[in-house]
Amino acid sequence: MSNLSTTLPRRLDPAKFRDPAITAKGERRAVVAFGGLRTLWVNTGTLCNITCRNCYIESSPRNDALVYVSAAEVGAALDEAAALRAPLEEVGFTGGEPFLNRDLPVMLRDVMGRGLRALVLTNAMKPMMNHAAALLALREAFGERLTIRVSLDHHEAALHDLERGEGTFAKTMEGLRWLAEGGFQIHVAGRAGFGAGDEAAMRAGYAALFTAHGIAVDAADAVALMLFPEMDAGIDVPEITEACWSILRKSPESMMCASSRMLVKRRGADRPAFTACTLLPHDPGFEVGATLAEAARPVSLNHPHCAKFCVLGGAACSR
Ligand code: SF4
């Protein structure tokens, strides 16, 4: 008989992640200062054409907790970044499924017309294909300034479909092939630790798939094929204290929230707001202001995702 206590992960201690300044053990919690906006993320809205089993942002065809942001609202954020002389390099679009927002091509043209890079996170299914002509025109005008990052949870159809729904692998592969044939710069986002095998085996599996379908993505490149750790805020993780930076040999400047913010628009709100990062769009403790100037405040690492995903997991959401 197996011993369940050795096989099931321990649940999060409810005493942890309560006080933004102090950990459960009474130590000073780690804080990340803002060092200037290099990446602006835009959450285009939480609506999605599919419902994944473990979507960290709970997107679905019905969830509009974050409503569609408009091209004018994104333009205003870009204007403010320019007025603040922010060292902005890239604007990333995430959802939900960003291509469900009809303003996306206009937003992309605005971003790249300002000389910035654009990154779109998509499942490459029908909503993306509905914008095929606009996408080809953008690629023609801006070339490699545009990167499309396609979510493909696993290189095997059955495991991808287990997470995203029957038949989704085939549709996403169709979109990926279309992007490859069209000469787009493509990245792929998969999931580390999903299914059997270590990271090397995962990368080998993706490499074989890309070769078989003529998709020019280097599966050995950690940016071109990003493998994200699993995100479960209910599993126990250590809290990150000020002392952790030197113990772990990590610097606060390397955290996403040191150089990025995300624009979101909550259902019922008059105007958009900024969150500290892409990972915590719904937690009020991580909403940092209505303007980029206000949002330049330090962020206290008071959430399990800060520990698991950023400080300990080694992943980042940009490139
Ligand atoms: S989840 Fe990561 S990026 Fe977001 S606030 Fe925490 S440490 Fe910063």
Side-chain angles (χ1 to χ4, degrees):
M1 199 168 103
S2 68
N3 179 351
L4 281 180
S5 67
T6 61
T7 54
L8 290 178
R10 208 155 48 136
R11 303 308 293 169
L12 185 69
D13 176 350
K16 290 183 177 177
F17 301 103
R18 295 185 81 87
D19 184 327
I22 306 286
T23 68
K25 286 186 186 159
E27 295 169 294
R28 284 160 65 103
R29 191 179 302 286
V31 167
V32 170
F34 191 61
L37 186 74
R38 295 196 176 277
T39 303
L40 173 66
W41 284 93
V42 175
N43 187 294
T44 55
T46 38
L47 286 173
C48 189
N49 55 313
I50 54 174
T51 307
C52 299
R53 283 210 312 186
N54 289 305
C55 178
Y56 81 97
I57 199 168
E58 296 154 19
S59 292
S60 77
R62 287 167 307 284
N63 182 0
D64 65 349
L66 300 181
V67 296
Y68 289 141
V69 69
S70 71
E73 287 161 341
V74 172
L78 295 172
D79 289 345
E80 193 197 354
L84 293 170
R85 296 184 183 279
L88 186 62
E89 296 162 358
E90 181 177 43
V91 180
F93 293 88
T94 183
E97 168 50 54
F99 283 104
L100 286 176
N101 185 321
R102 284 197 209 144
D103 276 4
L104 184 66
V106 179
M107 297 178 204
L108 290 171
R109 189 166 287 278
D110 186 6
V111 164
M112 293 187 284
R114 296 175 192 239
L116 302 166
R117 296 196 312 266
L119 171 66
V120 186
L121 278 50
T122 176
N123 56 37
M125 295 170 74
K126 193 161 182 290
M128 183 188 83
M129 296 312 297
N130 289 343
H131 292 282
L135 266 178
L136 288 170
L138 287 166
R139 195 229 48 209
E140 193 60 32
F142 299 106
E144 294 209 338
R145 223 179 282 171
L146 173 64
T147 300
I148 310 287
R149 188 197 289 166
V150 176
S151 298
L152 191 69
D153 284 335
H154 201 276
H155 51 83
E156 288 178 20
L159 286 172
H160 175 93
D161 285 4
L162 192 65
E163 171 66 24
R164 292 185 171 244
E166 185 84 34
T168 54
F169 183 86
K171 289 195 181 121
T172 292
M173 286 305 297
E174 220 173 280
L176 256 177
R177 281 192 298 268
W178 179 82
L179 288 166
E181 282 160 16
F184 287 88
Q185 165 138 293
I186 311 167
H187 289 171
V188 168
R191 293 177 40 193
F194 183 48
D198 58 11
E199 182 173 334
M202 284 288 272
R203 290 191 181 278
Y206 278 102
L209 179 76
F210 297 156
T211 304
H213 291 269
I215 293 160
V217 173
D218 179 0
D221 180 331
V223 173
L225 172 60
M226 283 198 167
L227 295 176
F228 288 97
E230 299 302 304
M231 296 171 71
D232 183 343
I235 291 176
D236 197 49
V237 283
E239 294 187 278
I240 307 299
T241 66
E242 282 181 344
C244 287
W245 299 123
S246 58
I247 295 165
L248 296 167
R249 296 195 188 167
K250 293 239 168 159
S251 72
E253 296 81 35
S254 67
M255 300 296 108
M256 280 187 290
C257 48
S259 58
S260 69
R261 290 292 182 258
M262 181 165 76
L263 186 72
V264 301
K265 191 168 184 192
R266 302 191 192 285
R267 186 178 48 224
D270 294 340
R271 54 185 297 192
F274 292 93
T275 61
C277 69
T278 55
L279 303 178
L280 299 163
H282 302 308
D283 187 327
F286 288 83
E287 184 167 317
V288 283
T291 63
L292 282 170
E294 279 175 26
R297 67 177 70 163
V299 176
S300 170
L301 304 198
N302 190 25
H303 194 280
H305 287 352
C306 303
K308 170 108 195 272
F309 196 79
C310 296
V311 182
L312 306 171
C317 267
S318 190
R319 55 180 176 165

